[in-house]
Amino acid sequence: MFGKVIVLIVSILSLLLTYNFIRTSLVYKNKQEVDQILSYLNKYLTQTYFAPVAIKTQYNSILVRPEADYCKRSDLYKFYHPDIVMKDTYTFREARGVIRETLRSSYYDCIPQMTYKLKNTQYLPRHVLPVQLTLPFTYYDQLVHKFQVGQESLCLFQKYNHLITRHVLSHKDNLMNNQYLYLDSLKKSGVDQDCINNATFIPKTYRLFNKQDCEEFFTYLDSAEYKSVIERDGPQFITKVGLEVHRGRGIKVLFPDETRILQDTYKHGKRCGIDKSLLVAQKYIGNPMLFNDHKIEFRVYWVLASTNPIIAYAYDKTLIRRCIATFDKFSLDKEAHVCNTAVVQSTLQKKGSDLYMREDNSDESELYIDWKLDYLQDLLLKQGKIKDTKWLQNYLYPTIDRMIIHAIRSTQQKFNRDSRLAEFFAADFILTDDLQIYIMEMNYNPQTLKTTLAREKQHAKMTQDMIEIQNAYLRSKYLRFRKIITKLASRMNKEKRPLDQLLTNKTIDEINSAYVDKLDQGIEISEGNLFRLVMDENLPGTKKYKDLIQQKCI
């Protein structure tokens, strides 16, 4: 009897092992071949599309230890577990705030203990990247700087939220320098003045690191014309520092004292070409749109969803903020001219107030006007400044989108054309009293603060919408490559031929085509997503620019 029980147990275990072997064989069909193909794809696509540039970077701030075989393991796991990509979202973020809270509440945070390493501290990397990771959404961009792309990070079945050359848009000196280089190239191509005006997105700016611009600027400052203008109209310029200087830092309104200091620094232009400070002097907008007698600016959030090809979306919800001091163009108070949140915060703290205000505190909550631009249209209609009840659709949105497109076009030659990369930006606009619009600056990693409950909810929704866009393009690409990989693996196994013998020109073309970001395979962006398409190079002719740029201007 006992012997029969033993035989029965052995039989059951044998059947279970056989079943498990068959199940594993079916699930991991052609595993060896798939492994070889994925290794090849990561190497080929990285060498072909990811061109690292020499940028001085800091320490590995995200406390993750690189692993040489990470992409090999991660992509193989995702290939045999499609739900990881197609149904779930695995992410992480090292910086605190609304974005991390939203990621944790809506998706799988696969490194929940993640923090970032402070400079000059001795902490060693304590984490590894999980194989399930699909959308790393870090604050710092170390995954492209401190890791071997295609091996240790940025695998085929991942989408990253940073662009290695984002500084060409976010550094003020680069933004303005690229604007002028862009306009010069258009002029040399023979386009007419209307095209030049259409492509201009920032106010008149002098690059003080450019000798010619610098000399012209100081010649004008010393002129009788300038002295007459400032007596009549107040400050005419602001200066801004390039590089990573945001949140109101480095901005100076050229009041008389500030002007004298600048003239002394540059010896009235004699040091032009010698002083290489990345300083720009920009025309001050002295007739801004006012709200309750305060200057207002508005911020448009937008995402560069891909650079292969260039695809961009802008967010419909717009953060409108007003300066904390009543506007007076002759006022010497920076708070009347600069509406940046950091400047407002500093002023409120000096008053003993709290930036993170309650909704019922109307005086302070009006500093952050969380409205859609429909309310701005209603205000202008009541003031009689516009008559078109569709002014937003017919003028403001197209103008905003066109300026973002031109900003992208002015810098696109410096982008890494890689579909694994993306970037989150904010464009700060100013609207004049006569309804002219200008971009004042671009910011990457824009602040998403909790200054009001409405603003916190807006930023949470915006984060979810960004993730949906990233997922849509990643999932489309995943399905395209599954077909290619499955086909190649089957042929390798059936024909007993190595991969290199199957990589014909036609197959390479299919791989390159599959790597181009596009929405297909039945995947779409939901109607509830508040991002609108601004630019898509997949589309033909001027449609790639929403017909906002004429063919003669391209």
Side-chain angles (χ1 to χ4, degrees):
M1 181 69 181
F2 181 74
K4 290 182 180 180
V5 172
I6 295 296
V7 171
L8 179 61
I9 292 173
V10 170
S11 299
I12 292 173
L13 288 174
S14 177
L15 287 172
L16 288 173
L17 289 172
T18 303
Y19 168 76
N20 188 61
F21 174 78
I22 294 172
R23 183 180 65 85
T24 303
S25 298
L26 290 174
V27 172
Y28 294 98
K29 183 179 179 180
N30 299 330
K31 180 181 177 182
Q32 183 176 352
E33 290 81 5
V34 170
D35 193 3
Q36 292 177 27
I37 296 167
L38 285 169
S39 296
Y40 165 78
L41 288 174
N42 269 307
K43 182 178 180 179
Y44 168 75
L45 294 170
T46 298
Q47 290 177 344
T48 304
Y49 293 94
F50 187 81
V53 295
I55 297 178
K56 184 179 180 181
T57 61
Q58 294 182 350
Y59 49 91
N60 180 3
S61 61
I62 61 173
L63 294 174
V64 170
R65 184 175 71 252
E67 295 181 298
D69 65 341
Y70 172 69
C71 283
K72 180 178 180 179
R73 292 183 291 106
S74 178
D75 285 335
L76 188 66
Y77 184 80
K78 295 188 185 94
F79 181 83
Y80 288 108
H81 298 84
D83 284 358
I84 295 293
V85 178
M86 298 304 299
K87 293 185 178 181
D88 301 325
T89 299
Y90 288 85
T91 184
F92 78 90
R93 187 173 179 84
E94 78 282 27
R96 299 175 182 175
V98 174
I99 290 180
R100 187 167 78 166
E101 292 172 6
T102 304
L103 294 177
R104 288 183 168 184
S105 63
S106 304
Y107 313 104
Y108 292 104
D109 183 349
C110 51
I111 315 181
Q113 288 78 37
M114 171 63 70
T115 57
Y116 59 86
K117 174 180 177 290
L118 298 176
K119 192 174 183 179
N120 298 323
T121 58
Q122 300 302 315
Y123 292 109
L124 296 174
R126 65 186 69 168
H127 306 289
V128 294
L129 296 178
V131 292
Q132 299 96 327
L133 180 62
T134 51
L135 301 181
F137 209 87
T138 62
Y139 184 85
Y140 295 103
D141 56 355
Q142 301 302 313
L143 290 181
V144 293
H145 289 303
K146 296 296 184 181
F147 290 71
Q148 187 68 35
V149 170
Q151 294 181 25
E152 300 170 341
S153 71
L154 274 68
C155 313
L156 175 60
F157 298 144
Q158 289 178 342
K159 185 81 167 174
Y160 193 37
N161 68 311
H162 285 310
L163 179 67
I164 195 170
T165 52
R166 60 191 182 180
H167 62 281
V168 299
L169 276 168
S170 63
H171 289 190
K172 297 178 181 68
D173 55 310
N174 283 333
L175 177 68
M176 294 163 190
N177 193 47
N178 288 325
Q179 156 86 118
Y180 281 97
L181 294 175
Y182 177 55
L183 295 179
D184 287 344
S185 69
L186 290 176
K187 292 173 184 176
K188 290 177 181 177
S189 68
V191 302
D192 61 29
Q193 189 59 43
D194 285 342
C195 292
I196 299 299
N197 294 339
N198 181 280
T200 302
F201 54 84
I202 59 175
K204 172 66 178 176
T205 301
Y206 293 92
R207 299 160 293 179
L208 301 189
F209 52 86
N210 177 286
K211 185 177 181 180
Q212 181 177 342
D213 276 17
C214 181
E215 290 175 343
E216 288 180 6
F217 176 69
F218 284 102
T219 297
Y220 180 56
L221 286 192
D222 287 332
S223 69
E225 177 187 355
Y226 177 73
K227 293 179 175 61
S228 175
V229 170
I230 60 172
E231 288 178 3
R232 183 184 71 242
D233 298 328
Q236 293 298 297
F237 293 98
I238 58 175
T239 58
K240 299 179 177 182
V241 179
L243 299 178
E244 296 296 340
V245 182
H246 298 290
R247 302 178 184 176
R249 298 189 299 266
I251 297 178
K252 293 182 179 179
V253 183
L254 288 192
F255 301 122
D257 287 347
E258 285 74 12
T259 302
R260 282 191 292 272
I261 293 171
L262 187 65
Q263 288 174 317
D264 290 343
T265 300
Y266 281 84
K267 305 299 182 186
H268 291 261
K270 292 180 181 179
R271 287 192 56 79
C272 290
I274 300 173
D275 193 316
K276 299 295 184 179
S277 300
L278 296 177
L279 197 67
V280 296
Q282 189 175 80
K283 184 75 172 70
Y284 178 68
I285 304 301
N287 61 329
M289 174 74 185
L290 301 182
F291 176 76
N292 291 346
D293 297 323
H294 292 250
K295 176 183 174 181
I296 62 173
E297 299 173 351
F298 61 93
R299 166 167 285 191
V300 175
Y301 297 99
W302 65 280
V303 292
L304 196 59
S306 179
T307 57
N308 180 37
I310 293 175
I311 303 171
Y313 291 81
Y315 202 58
D316 277 348
K317 284 268 190 178
T318 301
L319 172 63
I320 303 179
R321 58 195 182 193
R322 70 171 175 86
C323 289
I324 193 168
T326 303
F327 179 74
D328 178 354
K329 62 185 179 182
F330 293 102
S331 173
L332 298 181
D333 293 333
K334 183 177 182 179
E335 294 82 358
H337 304 276
V338 181
C339 306
N340 189 278
T341 298
V343 174
V344 172
Q345 179 182 21
S346 175
T347 305
L348 288 175
Q349 288 174 343
K350 291 176 183 177
K351 293 167 57 178
S353 185
D354 183 4
L355 177 63
Y356 298 90
M357 59 205 68
R358 301 198 313 265
E359 289 293 331
D360 57 359
N361 191 336
S362 60
D363 289 340
E364 292 181 351
S365 63
E366 284 184 357
L367 295 170
Y368 309 98
I369 309 168
D370 290 298
W371 55 14
K372 292 193 70 171
L373 288 174
D374 304 69
Y375 295 94
L376 177 60
Q377 176 176 279
D378 292 341
L379 179 63
L380 294 174
L381 285 168
K382 289 178 182 178
Q383 293 177 347
K385 292 186 177 181
I386 60 173
K387 296 181 179 179
D388 184 1
T389 55
K390 295 184 177 181
W391 177 77
L392 282 181
Q393 289 73 25
N394 295 336
Y395 176 73
L396 189 59
Y397 282 138
T399 303
I400 289 171
D401 292 352
R402 189 188 73 237
M403 288 185 170
I404 291 176
I405 291 169
H406 280 301
I408 293 172
R409 280 173 51 82
S410 72
T411 55
Q412 63 184 4
Q413 299 303 320
K414 300 174 183 179
F415 292 163
N416 303 88
R417 291 304 190 105
D418 193 317
S419 58
R420 289 170 294 189
L421 305 177
E423 190 64 64
F424 175 36
F425 289 100
D428 290 338
F429 288 84
I430 188 168
L431 181 67
T432 66
D433 191 54
D434 56 355
L435 306 185
Q436 298 300 307
I437 304 173
Y438 299 98
I439 291 179
M440 303 306 292
E441 66 179 48
M442 292 276 193
N443 297 272
Y444 77 87
N445 267 344
Q447 284 186 304
T448 50
L449 300 177
K450 302 179 183 179
T451 44
T452 67
L453 180 60
R455 188 172 175 183
E456 181 179 357
K457 290 180 178 179
Q458 172 185 319
H459 287 155
K461 165 65 173 167
M462 180 173 62
T463 301
Q464 293 169 337
D465 288 348
M466 279 193 290
I467 293 296
E468 182 190 5
I469 290 172
Q470 288 201 359
N471 266 330
Y473 286 100
L474 175 62
R475 290 167 179 172
S476 294
K477 182 170 66 176
Y478 175 80
L479 292 177
R480 292 193 297 271
F481 272 101
R482 272 188 66 87
K483 293 179 180 179
I484 292 174
I485 294 167
T486 301
K487 180 180 177 181
L488 283 173
S490 178
R491 288 188 62 191
M492 288 173 67
N493 184 283
K494 184 177 180 180
E495 300 174 18
K496 306 303 179 185
R497 296 168 63 189
L499 178 60
D500 58 352
Q501 291 185 12
L502 301 179
L503 294 175
T504 62
N505 290 337
K506 180 180 178 181
T507 303
I508 297 298
D509 288 343
E510 290 176 354
I511 290 171
N512 288 326
S513 177
Y515 200 60
V516 173
D517 262 336
K518 50 186 171 287
L519 295 180
D520 56 11
Q521 314 296 318
I523 294 175
E524 299 177 343
I525 306 296
S526 69
E527 291 184 2
N529 194 302
L530 295 182
F531 277 98
R532 64 182 182 276
L533 184 65
V534 169
M535 178 177 173
D536 187 346
E537 287 187 324
N538 286 304
L539 301 176
T542 59
K543 291 189 181 300
K544 62 172 59 78
Y545 309 120
K546 294 176 61 176
D547 292 324
L548 296 175
I549 303 178
Q550 295 179 315
Q551 186 62 46
K552 68 174 184 176
C553 299
I554 299 175

